[in-house]
Amino acid sequence: MTKKISISEGFKGEEAIALPLDILQMQKLLPAKKNLFITHIGYYPEARYHLRNRDQGCNEHILIYCSEGMGWVTHENRTVHLSADTYYLIPAGEAHSYGSRDSNPWSIYWLHFKGEDSGLVQSLKGKPLALKNTGPQSKKHSLDLFHNIYENLKFGYHAETLDYISFTLLYFLASLKYQEHYLRNSRLNSENIMNKCIAIMKENLEKKLTLQELANLVGYSSSHLTRLFTEKMNSSPMTYYNRIRLEQACQYLKYSSYKIKEIAFKLGYFDPYHFSRSFNKEMGITPKIYRQQYYIPTDQINQ
């Protein structure tokens, strides 16, 4: 009989952070000590043959979010099946096992956490929690908080960072319990971030703004901002930025007397040839032809 393969970790493309013991001890001294705090956090993509058995439970609470595929959790003498966009919370000290379906392996975001129980653990435990679909982006909003926690931990374990993460974790759990309230606020926040990004882009049309600079200005990681922007605008930030630079180029070509090479340099292009290629690719004609067709002399404007 062939022995069934099982893997607890080490999946291709996985990401994980385990906080050092001295940092976990430091957590108890922070102002947020009465709140919950992260001990481990990570992501397992397409985790085929994933399996964990803990007859004595775990020292930490465990939250699993299945983003794709399917898996299962055995807890409290029953087995529940998780599919895409479903959470499950296992309290510390309670026996359990969980794993991925062989035929359609899950991709999971997961975190372990400790701390004095805020009441949220008991209210969320032991049941699969499906994210409510109240709009095309709704299933991604709670994960924004997960990514925010993960990205902050990547930058180190400063006391202020740990304090912030502790409060964010509490907010993250609350976003699962009170989804309608959270999604209402998240839609507004998402719109505000997009408006701020576009305003920054327009303020920097004459400078070659990079994705990292834009992300820093709005306080997000570049990968997180790209995901949010693409979901909202159906375009990556840099594609959108280049588009509005070319829209400004059209304005210059149509209404100003700047030479084409001057327009190129004003909009941060390496040289006039690079500008012409980009313009032609987006507009279907060269800057020279565009000017010949649409240029309006200054003395005719507003007439």
Side-chain angles (χ1 to χ4, degrees), residues 152-168:
N152 272 280
L153 280 174
K154 282 170 62 176
F155 283 98
Y157 309 124
H158 301 294
E160 287 186 356
T161 299
L162 297 175
D163 201 12
Y164 167 76
I165 287 170
S166 179
F167 285 115
T168 305

Side-chain angles (χ1 to χ4, degrees), residues 56-173:
Q56 304 302 316
C58 183
N59 291 330
E60 305 94 19
H61 308 298
I62 302 171
L63 182 69
I64 298 171
Y65 167 62
C66 176
S67 61
E68 295 179 331
M70 296 189 69
W72 53 269
V73 177
T74 297
H75 174 233
E76 297 182 327
N77 298 315
R78 67 190 181 100
T79 298
V80 298
H81 298 278
L82 301 187
S83 55
D85 301 306
T86 308
Y87 287 86
Y88 195 92
L89 193 151
I90 306 167
E94 298 190 7
H96 64 270
S97 61
Y98 53 80
S100 177
R101 287 273 297 271
D102 291 348
S103 58
N104 185 19
W106 66 10
S107 295
I108 58 170
Y109 294 85
W110 55 268
L111 53 84
H112 290 211
F113 57 100
K114 286 186 173 183
E116 295 183 20
D117 191 351
S118 66
L120 282 175
V121 171
Q122 292 304 312
S123 65
L124 293 172
K125 76 163 192 170
K127 54 189 176 185
L129 303 164
L131 285 183
K132 296 179 181 178
N133 186 9
T134 59
Q137 310 304 332
S138 63
K139 293 183 178 181
K140 303 299 182 183
H141 287 313
S142 288
L143 275 182
D144 293 344
L145 292 172
F146 181 98
H147 286 291
N148 186 278
I149 292 170
Y150 190 89
E151 292 296 332
N152 272 280
L153 280 174
K154 282 170 62 176
F155 283 98
Y157 309 124
H158 301 294
E160 287 186 356
T161 299
L162 297 175
D163 201 12
Y164 167 76
I165 287 170
S166 179
F167 285 115
T168 305
L169 172 59
L170 198 62
Y171 185 36
F172 177 44
L173 295 176

Side-chain angles (χ1 to χ4, degrees), residues 22-40:
D22 60 333
I23 299 300
L24 296 178
Q25 292 172 339
M26 183 193 304
Q27 294 267 33
K28 299 176 182 179
L29 304 176
L30 297 175
K33 65 181 180 180
K34 291 187 178 181
N35 289 339
L36 306 171
F37 60 89
I38 297 283
T39 62
H40 305 73

Side-chain angles (χ1 to χ4, degrees), residues 149-286:
I149 292 170
Y150 190 89
E151 292 296 332
N152 272 280
L153 280 174
K154 282 170 62 176
F155 283 98
Y157 309 124
H158 301 294
E160 287 186 356
T161 299
L162 297 175
D163 201 12
Y164 167 76
I165 287 170
S166 179
F167 285 115
T168 305
L169 172 59
L170 198 62
Y171 185 36
F172 177 44
L173 295 176
S175 77
L176 303 182
K177 182 176 181 180
Y178 306 106
Q179 289 185 43
E180 293 290 348
H181 300 77
Y182 175 69
L183 289 174
R184 188 180 303 128
N185 183 58
S186 294
R187 284 190 290 270
L188 294 174
N189 287 341
S190 177
E191 290 173 3
N192 289 339
I193 289 297
M194 294 308 103
N195 291 337
K196 185 174 181 180
C197 284
I198 293 170
I200 291 170
M201 290 176 183
K202 290 181 177 179
E203 291 169 0
N204 288 275
L205 291 179
E206 299 190 3
K207 172 192 173 185
K208 182 59 177 177
L209 184 70
T210 67
L211 175 60
Q212 189 60 59
E213 288 171 336
L214 178 62
N216 290 342
L217 288 168
V218 296
Y220 281 23
S221 69
S222 57
S223 58
H224 189 191
L225 177 62
T226 297
R227 183 172 62 81
L228 284 178
F229 199 96
T230 302
E231 287 172 1
K232 189 72 175 178
M233 307 300 294
N234 293 317
S235 168
S236 70
M238 289 300 97
T239 297
Y240 192 92
Y241 175 56
N242 288 330
R243 189 172 299 144
I244 62 176
R245 287 166 74 209
L246 291 175
E247 288 174 359
Q248 181 60 52
C250 290
Q251 298 299 306
Y252 284 142
L253 290 168
K254 190 173 182 178
Y255 298 114
S256 80
S257 58
Y258 292 128
K259 295 179 180 178
I260 290 175
K261 66 178 181 180
E262 291 175 324
I263 295 174
F265 291 130
K266 281 183 70 65
L267 294 176
Y269 287 90
F270 301 120
D271 55 56
Y273 303 104
H274 178 221
F275 167 60
S276 294
R277 286 194 299 270
S278 298
F279 191 95
N280 192 17
K281 181 178 179 181
E282 183 72 20
M283 306 299 296
I285 57 176
T286 66

Side-chain angles (χ1 to χ4, degrees), residues 3-14:
K3 185 177 179 180
K4 180 177 174 63
I5 299 172
S6 63
I7 303 172
S8 61
E9 58 185 17
F11 302 98
K12 182 179 179 180
E14 76 172 46

